[in-house]
Amino acid sequence: NAGVTQTPKFRVLKTGQSMTLLCAQDMNHEYMYWYRQDPGMGLRLIHYSVGEGTTAKGEVPDGYNVSRLKKQNFLLGLESAAPSQTSVYFCASSKSLAGANYEQYFGPGTRLTVT
Amino acid sequence: KQEVTQIPAALSVPEGENLVLNCSFTDSAIYNLQWFRQDPGKGLTSLLLIQSSQREQTSGRLNASLDKSSGRSTLYIAASQPGDSATYLCAVMAHYKLSFGAGTTVTVRA
């Protein structure tokens, strides 16, 4: 049981380039999330998904797109990277939004630098 | 908009001392509150989750309290050890959204 995994661990992009971050979970969780973490700030929600084929915007969605074609995978795309998107990106999953099963499980993060 | 604040931003204590970490939030209509640990360059590890109907949760040397009416939670770590050095984050669940504080970075000196 690997939990939540993220690919890649590190990446350097030039401004304007595109890339996709992959998140995978093997816990059969319905809910998946993408966050970014910047120095001195808490994690901020970018997008989330409440099930296969569904996605929704979070707090800071601009410049990002997501897809959830399979229940176990949640992809985060940057179509045209900007230096402001330099950050550490975390993926998380949870069984549900309510009750004792709400606990979110986090991946190890992807450190992205845009030059 | 839910605002979550953690004070202090950093804390340094000698080994053996008890740690007290504070978290405050502006919207008391929360569903639950979660405390996480984050080691440098690593992901988040969940420590404790307190449902809104609960007053506290305990796990080993860790105890977290929740006072929803005043918008506060406190994480106590008893008899701190150098291995407790990390950043501790609190997050509140409200309106189907998890909002995080910026964290308290703890250093336990041997």
Side-chain angles (χ1 to χ4, degrees):
Chain A
N1 189 334
V4 180
T5 58
Q6 293 182 232
T7 309
K9 290 187 170 53
F10 304 93
R11 186 72 185 267
V12 178
L13 287 179
K14 292 187 185 334
T15 297
Q17 286 185 320
S18 63
M19 78 163 294
T20 300
L21 282 67
L22 171 64
C23 175
Q25 52 93 7
D26 61 3
M27 296 174 282
N28 202 34
H29 284 172
E30 287 293 335
Y31 296 78
M32 297 187 74
Y33 316 82
W34 275 107
Y35 295 90
R36 61 177 289 173
Q37 184 179 35
D38 300 296
M41 302 181 72
L43 277 72
R44 292 181 292 168
L45 183 65
I46 304 171
H47 286 280
Y48 64 100
S49 168
V50 300
E52 183 178 320
T54 70
T55 62
K57 294 181 181 179
E59 187 182 349
V60 288
D62 294 342
Y64 305 95
N65 57 74
V66 287
S67 64
R68 182 100 181 267
L69 299 179
K70 293 183 180 181
K71 186 177 183 179
Q72 63 268 32
N73 296 336
F74 195 27
L75 278 62
L76 178 71
L78 286 73
E79 290 186 347
S80 180
S84 61
Q85 293 178 304
T86 293
S87 188
V88 181
Y89 292 85
F90 288 101
C91 175
S93 71
S94 66
K95 191 167 185 177
S96 73
L97 275 179
N101 293 326
Y102 174 70
E103 186 174 351
Q104 289 196 4
Y105 297 83
F106 281 77
T110 295
R111 190 172 297 272
L112 175 67
T113 302
V114 183
T115 61
Chain B
K1 180 187 172 189
Q2 178 75 265
E3 300 284 346
V4 182
T5 304
Q6 292 184 250
I7 295 174
L11 187 59
S12 178
V13 300
E15 183 176 3
E17 191 166 300
N18 296 333
L19 284 164
V20 180
L21 307 179
N22 298 302
C23 173
S24 62
F25 46 94
T26 54
D27 184 352
S28 62
I30 67 168
Y31 196 86
N32 59 46
L33 183 145
Q34 201 166 354
W35 281 94
F36 293 89
R37 170 184 172 137
Q38 185 176 28
D39 292 292
K42 303 291 186 184
L44 279 68
T45 301
S46 178
L47 297 173
L48 290 166
L49 184 150
I50 311 176
Q51 303 264 11
S52 63
S53 58
Q54 297 174 319
R55 299 283 293 185
E56 66 176 342
Q57 276 282 4
T58 299
S59 176
R61 293 185 295 114
L62 277 59
N63 174 275
S65 66
L66 174 64
D67 184 341
K68 241 182 26 163
S69 60
S70 65
R72 293 176 191 271
S73 176
T74 302
L75 178 66
Y76 301 90
I77 303 178
S80 62
Q81 304 166 0
D84 294 328
S85 298
T87 297
Y88 292 84
L89 298 159
C90 77
V92 297
M93 176 64 165
H95 308 295
Y96 301 103
K97 181 175 172 293
L98 198 61
S99 299
F100 282 82
T104 294
T105 299
V106 171
T107 302
V108 180
R109 309 186 302 272

